[in-house]
Amino acid sequence: MSDFPFLSVLTVAPLVGALVVVFLPASRGELAKRIALGWSLAVLVLSVFMWIAFEAGGDRLQLRESYSWIPRWGVNFTFAADGIALVMLMLIALLVPLVILASWHDAEKSKRSVPVYFALLLFLECTMIGVFAAADVFLFYVFFEVMLVPMYFLIGSYGGHQRQYAAVKFFLYSLVGGLFMLAAVIGLWVVGGKTFDWQALTQIDISTGTERWLFLGFFLAFAIKAPFFPFHTWLPDAGGAAPAGAAALLVGVLDKVGTFGILRYCLPLFPEASKWFAPYAIALALIGIIYAALLAVGQNDLKRLVSYTSIAHFGFIGIGLFAFTTQAGTGAVLYMVNHGLATGLLFLVVGMLVARRGSALITDFGGAGKLVPLLAGVLFFAGLASLALPGTAPFISEFLVLIGTYTVNKPVAIIATAGIILAAAYVLWMVQRTTQGTLNPALSGVEAMRKDLSVREKVVVAPLIALLLLLGFYPKPVTDVINPAVQATMEQDLGKQDPAPTVGTVQEAHR
């Protein structure tokens, strides 16, 4: 089964589905929804078989495929996955069908083509899978840039207030970052013997000055994509304007391309430059944790608030990546997965509330839990998971990041814990103002606010809640896949050695 071309099929399949859906007439919206959902579920099933075929502890890159593309430039369609890419591919395969189900009526409310909306979601899935599966630097760059197109149209055509402004800002920020990367990709091709193969490039020697410039080109693109402070200003606008489902994919998956890129490209290809720039990267991550958390506390827009929480969380991931320990690195990758689940759930639930109320302003709610107790309960759970409550999956990843960082840089770990305190403030205050307290009289007149979670919405939230609880108590199936890839980066590429996180470490976290 390992000889099956999983990665190329997974990349192409959503694109084929998008082409099928986009050519349906606008009047066949219901058919478009069913085809998109069925296609995404087929991708999920194939992804499960890929997970089974992957051998944890085996070769660093597995499921490798390579097809000639532009021989003159040494460009190939090369796909391969390590444990880090594998868990991100599974996250994509899980989130997309849930987003499609959660977005069942979003396109109709925007009064635009329903088939085009769901075709864009499938096209986005194609590009997201491709960017994580690529093992050719040029191919990675192509997917990195093409990924902007479907998200731009999802925000600009189907978003809410100021959607055009948010879409253009998102596109321009990402495009500028992509131009920095393009310059670095070309430079890497020149010094790397005119090849884009990732494995070959990890073996080359680059002069110190050149390595630092190339690192900076890649890092700026990834720092904008993540985003890290001070390149973060596009995310609250994009997250606030995007449809809830698209926003869930934006913060749950697309932004992870930035942190994944740092771990896959910056650290292995430019190890000495990574060490030289590490103090500056950690400083930006720390500022992002505190600054974004403070801004989140003062937000009155639910979707913008969740966007700011994501910027703070990416600060923890950044610290974990540049601490250069296996514990912190594994925690950072696990954080990428857990954040995708928790913030994806939070965005989807916020979308359900906003769709009922017709407003994203917190002051337009108040006491909503009296009308929709189940929905309020799920919002509360998603908030607790987002602030990394013990027993939920994000707690394990946050603990590993902090303990792995503390062993090498105590002040950084101590300062970062302030973000945990602020997280409790912005999440609990948001929940209190939205669903608790005296019922806002204006809510009583909104008929939709009297409808609690439907069967469709329960199907959307149930898998995410189950995974957040399961991985909160038993993350071993995921950490066993992640550890070898992180250890290879820290020990082989960076020359750092420290013990990998064990089940005992996780049990200690719960104590």
Side-chain angles (χ1 to χ4, degrees), residues 35-80:
I35 291 175
L37 179 60
W39 219 285
S40 64
L41 287 173
V43 171
L44 175 59
V45 171
L46 186 59
S47 300
V48 172
F49 283 109
M50 177 183 65
W51 179 278
I52 295 171
F54 188 89
E55 297 178 11
D59 293 339
R60 182 175 183 177
L61 290 180
Q62 300 180 38
L63 309 172
R64 184 179 174 87
E65 307 169 45
S66 188
Y67 312 97
S68 180
W69 184 12
I70 312 175
R72 186 175 180 180
W73 294 353
V75 180
N76 298 292
F77 279 103
T78 301
F79 298 101

Side-chain angles (χ1 to χ4, degrees), residues 207-360:
S207 65
T208 300
T210 302
E211 184 177 329
R212 289 179 182 176
W213 281 110
L214 293 177
F215 171 92
L216 199 57
F218 277 91
F219 178 76
L220 285 173
F222 296 144
I224 292 171
K225 178 67 72 177
F228 291 147
F229 175 91
F231 312 107
H232 65 282
T233 59
W234 64 267
L235 181 57
D237 292 321
L249 291 177
L250 177 65
V251 300
V253 179
L254 262 74
D255 292 352
K256 307 301 189 306
V257 175
T259 49
F260 171 82
I262 292 172
L263 194 54
R264 169 62 73 83
Y265 293 94
C266 288
L267 304 192
L269 298 181
F270 318 113
E272 296 306 318
S274 298
K275 296 173 187 176
W276 192 84
F277 279 103
Y280 305 102
I282 289 175
L284 293 180
L286 277 178
I287 294 171
I289 291 173
I290 306 301
Y291 178 72
L294 289 173
L295 288 178
V297 171
Q299 292 301 308
N300 187 42
D301 185 294
L302 282 168
K303 295 168 75 175
R304 290 180 66 88
L305 186 152
V306 178
S307 298
Y308 276 113
T309 68
S310 294
I311 297 169
H313 293 149
F314 276 107
F316 282 100
I317 298 173
I319 289 172
L321 295 178
F322 285 98
F324 300 141
T325 67
T326 303
Q327 281 187 336
T330 298
V333 177
L334 191 60
Y335 212 135
M336 289 161 61
V337 177
N338 293 338
H339 176 266
L341 297 173
T343 307
L345 174 63
L346 189 55
F347 246 122
L348 293 176
V349 174
V350 164
M352 294 172 190
L353 275 172
V354 171
R356 285 165 167 76
R357 181 64 180 91
S359 170

Side-chain angles (χ1 to χ4, degrees), residues 352-353 356-358 364-379 431 433-454 457-458:
M352 294 172 190
L353 275 172
R356 285 165 167 76
R357 181 64 180 91
D364 287 339
F365 289 87
K370 293 179 172 60
L371 299 177
V372 283
L374 282 179
L375 183 54
V378 176
L379 176 70
V431 171
R433 290 185 293 164
T434 305
T435 63
Q436 305 301 309
T438 305
L439 178 66
N440 184 343
L443 293 182
S444 301
V446 181
E447 183 63 28
M449 282 301 303
R450 298 182 178 277
K451 298 176 182 178
D452 212 338
L453 287 177
S454 66
E457 291 169 332
K458 290 175 184 176

